[in-house]
Amino acid sequence: MAWRAVGKKGIRANLTQALTVASRDTLLSTSKCSSENATKALSTSFRHLQGFRFNSVISGANEDFYFLVSRCSIRCFHASPTLLARRKEDASLGLKISERGKVLNKGKFSKRKKEAKPPVETPYLPPKLKKGAKSSSDKTIEIFEGMTVVELAKRCGESIATVQHIIANVGEKIDSEFDPLSIDIAELVAMEIGVNVCRLHSDDGAQVVGRSPVVTVMGHVDHGKTSLLDALRQTSLAAKEAGGITQHLGAFVVGMQSGASITFLDTPGHAAFSAMRARGAAVTDIVVLVVAADDGVMPQTLEAMSHAKAANVPVVVAVNKCDKPDANPERVRVQLATEGLSLEEMGGDVQVVEVSAVNKVGLDKLEDALLLQAELMDLKARIDGPAQAYVVEARLDKGRGPLATAIVKAGTLVCGQHVVVGAEWGRIRSIRDMARKVIAQARPAMPVEIEGLKGLPMAGDDIVVVESEERARMLSEGRKKKFEKDRLTKLEEERPKTSESEEEEETKTERVEVPMIVKADVQGTVQAVTDAVKNLNSSQVFVKVIHAGVGPLSQSDIDMAKACGACVVGFNVRDPPSSIAQAATQAKVKIKLHRVIYHLLEDIGNFIVEKAPGTLETQVAGEAQVLNIFELKGRSKAKGDDVKIAGCRVIDGRVTKSSTLRLLRSGEVVFEGSCTSLKREKQDVEAVGKGSDCGLVIKDFFDFQVGDVIQCLVQVNRKPKFVSSESGAVRIEC
């Protein structure tokens, strides 16, 4: 028996679905039964297929079966839907399939050609750091030269893998976690993690020699600090300062009569220069506390004592102005002892020397006291290796650029070295001593002025010597990012507190913002003026310093002030050119230039008082007493109802018609209302003065009694006051 498929377009038969429907038992049964039975069975199995016709033709001994197909079909007698789906999937994967559907290269994948793609520069993604309960910006760790990766990771509170990842990104190659790191790399890693660092330098194996002491002169304003230094140096610096008071932090090397040299730091005594005094105490070895014998202990004297105590620095007291008739050194001693200073005469270790800067009396005793204290301290420093220095002051010179006055603490600072000062870096172009002479190097305890920095550092920054320009750039950029991150974090932390306080203030009174631009001659003065201006904030006025810089006024300052509506404040800067002054006048920008801190703060304080909105207060402008009561009856409808008139006499101040009237009876408030009519001698008037009689009518009130007191109330806008104390501290009282 033969099977044939006949279609319109060739020998094709779509028996896939038919074989799925027809069971295997049916096919077996058809093979065993007769031809007629087979024909019926197959007809029954394939009748559900559309387009099929089944016939049987007997030719000889064989019987042929014809499938007449009316549409095209594929020839897959062996396949099922599952196998077909798998075959298509194998073909999509690129596998070679035989005619019977078998995979020829099973287990062997063809190699795809790799397309040449350009390299992609992926940005550096810092590792995710652990967030502890304590803010990382408040954490400070100690680092030193040669510390291992393990120790650095332990101090930073991060995993070793994280630290190694940061080190690799910095560009440093390490073989193991026990390899030593340079102190610069350790600082970079710590800054990337977000912690503050404190550099520790070891003197092991270094050449250590004795050095001169660094002495800071501190005390209250106008107690003779600079005059005392002038007497030691035989100069007249006090006469050169504007207003006769010190307004800068100066450093000098004074050669004593004994041949020894002492480095002196002169600090301002005004209350606005508190940060300068703190920096002076931080870098010094000995503090000379100058107290006037005729004035005694004052607020800045106590502040200087607290700075010295915080820096753990010994104190030598110099009682100045002992030549004056009203001088009382014993009273000064008692006051100092009362404030907790253990004087030598009372069993303590603080020396007290009586001097007179004007008559140059007692200077030799002061010299002996300082040298004795230095000998007891056994001051030494290493002179080899990279230098450690401290910025005392920084200023911007028109021809030389940023200049930093610094004191070398250890090592030797050499011209041509690459240094990092705070967030700024540079290559030292020249080093000058305090006599403005160019020197090749600076030893410990020497105050010098360095030139060649790329930017102006902050007063109080440390100077770090690095090995290359690349390392200096990297360290500077890392510190700038760290400073900016800390600044934004601080602003974010202070924002909720500020908003809550502002909401409370808004409920009470309106608060006006006064923007200002501060320019000064040196960095320390900029900081002092900025802090003093911010201290003038009050509940009505908020002073916002939008820019603070070193140098003279420029056109960009005027443009910024015009855009922000700010006032430009200049301290110890030269007068601006006529073009800048004219531009400021056209832009209606106020410029305030001063050379004395007293005058500057007073002028700014008065300016802030003018900008303050003030507080509306109710005050009594006048009082009148009711002597008689008059009643008008039978008025027409056009004129209104009956009216009661109070005949009064003004006993104090003035009574005005436009004001609010308050009626008091036996000291208690009975009624408050407006005045509808005020007459004097049958004439309508607007005001009545003291001692005059008048008649008045209060709206909606008719129950007058003889003896009542009528007060005239007025609204007065009370402005805040600018208050300055004897010590120089200023504030705004609302």
Side-chain angles (χ1 to χ4, degrees):
M1 181 176 60
W3 292 23
R4 300 178 184 178
V6 181
K8 292 182 179 180
K9 296 184 179 181
I11 306 174
R12 294 181 182 177
N14 187 6
L15 298 181
T16 305
Q17 298 180 4
L19 292 175
T20 307
V21 176
S23 63
R24 186 173 183 179
D25 296 338
T26 305
L27 293 177
L28 292 175
S29 64
T30 55
S31 61
K32 295 179 181 179
C33 66
S34 61
S35 301
E36 184 179 357
N37 295 333
T39 304
K40 292 180 180 180
L42 291 175
S43 299
T44 305
S45 302
F46 293 100
R47 67 185 176 183
H48 69 281
L49 296 177
Q50 183 180 1
F52 281 89
R53 199 158 39 87
F54 186 80
N55 291 328
S56 63
V57 179
I58 301 175
S59 58
N62 297 327
E63 185 177 1
D64 295 336
F65 297 91
Y66 291 89
F67 294 91
L68 302 181
V69 185
S70 60
R71 59 182 180 182
C72 299
S73 302
I74 59 174
R75 187 172 53 198
C76 298
F77 295 98
H78 67 284
S80 66
T82 306
L83 295 176
L84 285 176
R86 186 179 301 173
R87 182 185 179 192
K88 291 180 180 180
E89 183 179 357
D90 294 340
S92 63
L93 294 176
L95 301 178
K96 294 182 180 181
I97 302 175
S98 65
E99 295 179 356
R100 296 184 179 180
K102 295 183 179 180
V103 180
L104 297 179
N105 54 348
K106 186 175 182 180
K108 299 180 181 179
F109 294 90
S110 60
K111 295 183 179 179
R112 296 182 181 180
K113 296 181 179 179
K114 295 183 179 180
E115 298 179 0
K117 296 182 179 180
V120 180
E121 294 183 0
T122 57
Y124 167 65
L125 297 176
K128 295 183 179 180
L129 306 177
K130 295 184 298 183
K131 294 183 179 179
K134 185 179 179 181
S135 177
S136 59
S137 60
D138 299 336
K139 184 178 180 180
T140 302
I141 64 171
E142 295 179 346
I143 60 175
F144 52 88
E145 187 73 27
M147 69 185 309
T148 61
V149 178
V150 176
E151 190 168 4
L152 180 60
K154 184 178 179 181
R155 297 193 179 194
C156 293
E158 292 294 335
S159 63
I160 298 176
T162 302
V163 174
Q164 289 177 338
H165 182 68
I166 298 175
I167 293 174
N169 181 71
V170 168
E172 192 75 6
K173 294 182 180 180
I174 55 172
D175 296 331
S176 70
E177 57 193 34
F178 298 100
D179 288 352
L181 297 174
S182 66
I183 192 170
D184 299 332
I185 296 297
E187 182 177 352
L188 287 172
V189 173
M191 286 190 298
E192 183 71 25
I193 294 174
V195 298
N196 301 320
V197 298
C198 176
R199 290 185 170 227
L200 299 180
H201 296 272
S202 176
D203 295 338
D204 296 340
Q207 184 180 358
V208 180
V209 297
R211 63 173 178 84
S212 303
V214 179
V215 178
T216 300
V217 181
M218 305 176 70
H220 193 72
V221 63
D222 201 24
H223 275 200
K225 299 182 296 298
T226 307
S227 300
L228 183 61
L229 281 176
D230 288 343
L232 293 171
R233 300 180 62 206
Q234 298 181 357
T235 58
S236 181
L237 285 177
K240 299 178 183 179
E241 290 282 356
I245 61 173
T246 303
Q247 301 176 126
H248 299 84
L249 189 62
F252 321 98
V253 178
V254 179
M256 297 298 178
Q257 297 179 357
S258 59
S261 61
I262 299 177
T263 301
F264 282 97
L265 290 178
D266 187 15
T267 62
H270 193 272
F273 301 101
S274 176
M276 285 189 180
R277 291 188 290 273
R279 288 195 299 272
V283 73
T284 190
D285 300 316
I286 305 171
V287 169
V288 174
L289 185 62
V290 179
V291 185
D294 59 339
D295 204 4
V297 176
M298 299 298 286
Q300 266 62 58
T301 309
L302 301 177
E303 182 190 328
M305 293 169 57
S306 63
H307 286 321
K309 184 178 180 180
N312 196 19
V313 177
V315 177
V316 175
V317 179
V319 183
N320 196 15
K321 301 184 179 181
C322 291
D323 56 323
K324 287 194 171 183
D326 54 347
N328 191 354
E330 292 300 327
R331 181 171 65 94
V332 174
R333 287 183 170 88
V334 173
Q335 291 177 345
L336 293 175
T338 305
E339 296 298 334
L341 206 63
S342 56
L343 305 182
E344 197 175 42
E345 300 172 356
M346 301 179 183
D349 55 354
V350 177
Q351 304 179 69
V352 180
V353 182
E354 297 180 6
V355 297
S356 173
V358 176
N359 297 333
K360 298 182 180 180
V361 177
L363 300 182
D364 53 347
K365 296 181 180 179
L366 179 61
E367 176 187 352
D368 294 340
L370 294 176
L371 294 178
L372 176 61
Q373 185 66 43
E375 185 178 355
L376 293 175
M377 298 175 66
D378 191 20
L379 300 174
K380 293 182 179 180
R382 60 177 178 85
I383 59 174
D384 56 349
Q388 299 172 244
Y390 184 88
V391 177
V392 175
E393 195 59 271
R395 64 188 179 93
L396 192 63
D397 189 81
K398 186 176 181 180
R400 299 165 59 193
L403 303 176
T405 302
I407 292 182
V408 181
K409 295 188 289 186
T412 303
L413 193 65
V414 183
C415 184
Q417 290 179 331
H418 291 91
V419 294
V420 178
V421 187
E424 304 295 338
W425 71 279
R427 182 176 179 271
I428 300 178
R429 190 162 54 243
S430 67
I431 302 176
R432 300 174 185 266
D433 59 8
M434 291 297 99
R436 299 294 186 269
K437 294 181 180 180
V438 179
I439 57 178
Q441 58 184 11
R443 293 292 183 90
M446 281 186 62
V448 292
E449 187 178 65
I450 61 175
E451 176 185 345
L453 300 178
K454 301 296 181 182
L456 193 67
M458 296 293 295
D461 289 340
D462 288 325
I463 298 178
V464 178
V465 178
V466 295
E467 57 186 11
S468 63
E469 179 179 344
E470 181 183 0
R471 182 63 56 84
R473 287 176 181 270
M474 190 180 299
L475 202 57
S476 175
E477 292 176 1
R479 289 184 176 183
K480 286 180 179 179
K481 291 180 181 178
K482 178 69 168 54
F483 293 160
E484 184 66 17
K485 183 179 179 181
D486 293 346
R487 186 184 69 85
L488 295 178
T489 304
K490 186 177 180 181
L491 290 177
E492 191 68 23
E493 292 176 354
E494 293 178 354
R495 184 172 297 174
K497 300 178 182 179
T498 306
S499 61
E500 291 176 3
S501 61
E502 286 180 355
E503 289 178 359
E504 294 177 359
E505 295 297 337
E506 285 178 359
T507 57
K508 297 178 181 179
T509 181
E510 183 183 359
R511 196 176 189 189
V512 177
E513 184 178 281
V514 180
M516 287 191 178
I517 296 176
V518 178
K519 298 298 287 290
D521 54 346
V522 296
Q523 188 66 264
T525 311
V526 170
Q527 183 180 356
V529 174
T530 302
D531 294 341
V533 167
K534 289 181 179 180
N535 288 334
L536 295 177
N537 289 335
S538 64
S539 59
Q540 298 185 17
V541 179
F542 173 69
V543 181
K544 183 178 181 181
V545 179
I546 60 177
H547 175 68
V550 177
L553 304 183
S554 61
Q555 184 63 39
S556 61
D557 297 330
I558 304 300
D559 296 338
M560 186 185 301
K562 180 181 177 181
C564 303
C567 171
V568 181
V569 177
F571 183 69
N572 269 335
V573 296
R574 63 175 182 268
D575 295 337
S578 58
S579 59
I580 295 180
Q582 186 177 1
T585 303
Q586 293 176 354
K588 297 181 180 180
V589 174
K590 290 187 177 182
I591 299 178
K592 299 182 180 296
L593 301 177
H594 293 279
R595 296 187 178 276
V596 182
I597 191 67
Y598 289 107
H599 302 160
L600 175 69
L601 296 180
E602 183 178 359
D603 193 4
I604 295 177
N606 295 330
F607 175 75
I608 292 175
V609 168
E610 293 177 2
K611 293 289 185 179
T615 306
L616 291 177
E617 293 184 350
T618 302
Q619 294 183 358
V620 179
E623 289 185 352
Q625 187 175 10
V626 179
L627 303 179
N628 203 349
I629 301 171
F630 305 95
E631 186 174 359
L632 296 179
K633 293 185 178 181
R635 304 179 73 189
S636 63
K637 293 183 179 180
K639 294 183 179 180
D641 299 332
D642 299 341
V643 177
K644 285 190 177 182
I645 302 173
C648 307
R649 176 173 295 169
V650 181
I651 58 178
D652 188 18
R654 288 168 57 87
V655 177
T656 57
K657 183 179 179 180
S658 59
S659 302
T660 302
L661 301 182
R662 175 191 295 167
L663 190 137
L664 303 178
R665 184 173 297 163
S666 300
E668 296 182 358
V669 178
V670 177
F671 186 80
E672 282 189 11
S674 59
C675 179
T676 58
S677 177
L678 179 63
K679 291 188 177 183
R680 183 174 180 273
E681 296 178 356
K682 298 183 179 181
Q683 293 182 356
D684 291 329
V685 292
E686 293 295 328
V688 180
K690 182 179 179 180
S692 301
D693 296 338
C694 64
L696 57 85
V697 178
I698 300 178
K699 184 179 180 181
D700 298 332
F701 186 78
F702 310 103
D703 188 18
F704 292 106
Q705 293 184 10
V706 177
D708 291 344
V709 176
I710 299 177
Q711 293 181 339
C712 178
L713 306 179
V714 293
Q715 295 287 335
V716 178
N717 188 8
R718 186 175 65 88
K719 291 277 189 177
K721 295 181 181 180
F722 173 75
V723 180
S724 177
S725 62
E726 296 180 358
S727 62
V730 294
R731 67 182 186 277
I732 300 292
E733 287 186 354
C734 297

